[in-house]
Amino acid sequence: MNELIETERLYVEELQSIIEGYAASLDDPELFYLIPPSLENKKEVLFGNLPEIYEFHQKIFLKELENFAEKPELVGTCFLKQKEELQIYEKYCQNKPRSEALWRQCGDSMFFQECQKRLDHKLSLDAYLLKPVQRIIKYQLMLKEMLKCSKNSEGTAELEEALATMLDIIKSVNDSMHQIAITGFEGNLNDLGKLLMQGSFNVWTDHKKGHSKVKDLARFKPMQRHLFLYHKMLLFCKKREETSDGHEKSPSYSFKHSLKMSSVGITENVKGDIKKFEIWYNGREEVYIVQAPSMEVKNTWVSEIRKVLTSQLEACRGISGQNSPSRGLSLIKNFV
């Protein structure tokens, strides 16, 4: 608990130094002549919502943690209480690729060297801009350690729930980083509901329609596809590795195909390979055989798809109770 509070204080201090020593300096008339043209009017691109993160930690979260200094076993409630506010990290991480690209253009400028010198920082700004990403990961590691010390005591259930919450936030952040790299999808991704899962798979197709030779080829040769599962739709994308300015590759996902979840069915087991499952569409008019990298990944995806279908079935039952039972029956068939 002491480590959690002490590192939180240090984190708040570091955020403050970035905002006052770098972000505010962009508005300092004395330093205008040092600001490179590529950085002009780009403060929000470089820093993202860092001021919002700083304000939350400095005014709310640090004080909340300090309130539990004498009752560390109850600190789980603090994380649960601030669950929604901690989602601000998703926005920060989504902006990170843009921030890094801008830093590559102007990071070696005299402006940043002067700011670093004034702050007496050993590390350059890009290292400090990684702090929020590192911090959100650190919380779940500390909660895991706390759980080891508090089995079956008061507050254990809240600690376990807090850990699950932080892991879920990290997953959402990670998923959203992949989502912003989707290209070629003509609709609005925000209309598809929450992004539940994303991952890479081998996919075979077996459709009723289409030329027989093409069908045969598709049946035997797998495609590498990155799947994005939303409440309302399943997207099939092709992953492309792109090199920017000779630096490390950043993936993008070229949209290829989509399936409305209201017309999707699933078969959990496929003959010959325990890591395969079937996703089918419109009464098996289109069939996709999906091979997961492991049994664990397969089971997670099958479970999540079934949850979506179940929630749709329950929603349809509510509608069919008021109207006709036919649509609800079509969804029941999807569980076969």
Side-chain angles (χ1 to χ4, degrees):
M1 189 65 197
N2 287 339
E3 186 191 350
L4 178 58
I5 292 171
E6 282 165 21
T7 54
E8 186 72 12
R9 285 177 187 146
L10 180 61
Y11 178 53
V12 168
E13 284 172 18
E14 287 172 335
L15 294 180
Q16 185 178 1
S17 72
I18 299 168
I19 289 163
E20 292 179 358
Y22 286 100
S25 296
L26 285 168
D27 302 317
D28 184 350
E30 284 183 26
L31 297 175
F32 280 172
Y33 75 101
L34 291 176
I35 298 172
S38 56
L39 190 58
E40 285 176 17
N41 302 314
K42 295 280 180 67
K43 188 196 282 190
E44 284 188 14
V45 174
L46 186 62
F47 297 99
N49 64 332
L50 195 76
E52 186 186 4
I53 290 173
Y54 167 65
E55 199 162 298
F56 165 67
H57 284 271
Q58 189 254 337
K59 290 184 177 176
I60 299 169
F61 203 59
L62 174 57
K63 290 173 182 174
E64 291 265 336
L65 291 175
E66 286 172 339
N67 288 339
F68 288 96
E70 302 303 319
K71 291 186 176 180
E73 68 277 6
L74 302 178
V75 76
T77 56
C78 176
F79 285 88
L80 296 175
K81 186 180 172 184
Q82 303 303 333
K83 180 178 174 178
E84 297 303 318
E85 282 70 16
L86 286 162
Q87 302 287 342
I88 54 175
Y89 279 89
E90 195 168 316
K91 187 178 175 183
Y92 184 80
C93 293
Q94 282 179 349
N95 181 66
K96 201 74 181 70
R98 293 171 70 219
S99 173
E100 287 170 355
L102 180 59
W103 174 259
R104 286 196 292 269
Q105 288 176 42
C106 56
D108 57 355
S109 73
M110 287 298 294
F111 170 76
F112 290 116
Q113 289 175 32
E114 178 61 27
C115 291
Q116 186 177 342
K117 187 177 165 186
R118 288 184 179 190
L119 287 165
D120 196 27
H121 278 179
K122 289 177 183 174
L123 300 172
S124 55
L125 174 62
D126 58 328
Y128 283 90
L129 290 176
L130 264 177
K131 298 283 182 182
V133 181
Q134 294 165 338
R135 188 63 184 167
I136 199 72
I137 294 168
K138 183 76 172 170
Y139 288 132
Q140 55 93 15
L141 295 172
M142 289 184 172
L143 288 168
K144 279 179 183 172
E145 288 302 309
M146 286 182 156
L147 268 170
K148 288 178 186 175
C149 311
S150 59
K151 285 290 175 192
N152 304 317
S153 63
E154 188 189 2
T156 300
E158 287 80 4
L159 273 175
E160 286 172 346
E161 199 181 335
L163 174 59
T165 295
M166 294 313 298
L167 290 171
D168 193 46
I169 287 172
I170 292 167
K171 179 185 173 296
S172 293
V173 166
N174 185 46
D175 288 349
S176 71
M177 295 288 284
H178 288 274
Q179 176 180 272
I180 59 169
I182 295 174
T183 61
F185 181 72
E186 290 184 0
N188 186 343
L189 292 171
N190 294 326
D191 294 339
L192 306 184
K194 187 185 176 188
L195 174 59
L196 303 168
M197 305 282 289
Q198 57 77 30
S200 291
F201 299 88
N202 285 325
V203 178
W204 290 261
T205 57
D206 186 5
H207 301 343
K208 284 181 183 175
K209 293 179 180 177
H211 193 275
S212 60
K213 280 190 178 178
V214 176
K215 282 171 66 180
D216 287 344
L217 182 66
R219 193 177 293 139
F220 294 112
K221 190 179 179 186
M223 298 174 290
Q224 297 288 319
R225 288 292 180 261
H226 203 89
L227 272 55
F228 292 84
L229 174 65
Y230 295 84
H231 270 296
K232 295 181 182 177
M233 201 171 276
L234 178 66
L235 304 188
F236 290 77
C237 299
K238 186 173 184 179
K239 186 176 183 180
R240 301 183 190 281
E241 300 282 357
E242 293 174 358
T243 309
S244 50
D245 307 330
H247 287 78
E248 62 186 59
K249 291 179 179 179
S250 55
S252 71
Y253 302 99
S254 177
F255 170 73
K256 292 295 177 187
H257 191 56
S258 66
L259 304 176
K260 286 181 182 175
M261 289 306 292
S262 56
S263 300
V264 159
I266 186 168
T267 307
E268 195 167 327
N269 297 307
V270 174
K271 257 187 186 177
D273 191 339
I274 57 169
K275 291 184 290 186
K276 286 181 181 176
F277 61 98
E278 252 183 16
I279 296 170
W280 40 272
Y281 196 62
N282 278 347
R284 299 190 73 83
E285 191 175 282
E286 298 175 27
V287 178
Y288 300 85
I289 298 164
V290 180
Q291 184 186 48
S294 69
M295 271 301 290
E296 185 184 357
V297 172
K298 172 193 161 174
N299 290 337
T300 306
W301 271 75
V302 168
S303 170
E304 205 61 48
I305 291 170
R306 286 203 181 281
K307 280 182 198 170
V308 174
L309 297 180
T310 303
S311 67
Q312 289 186 348
L313 181 59
E314 286 168 354
C316 281
R317 276 179 178 154
I319 294 166
S320 65
Q322 299 163 25
N323 303 310
S324 149
S326 58
R327 188 156 177 261
L329 287 171
S330 70
L331 258 171
I332 292 168
K333 290 175 187 172
N334 291 359
F335 284 93
V336 175

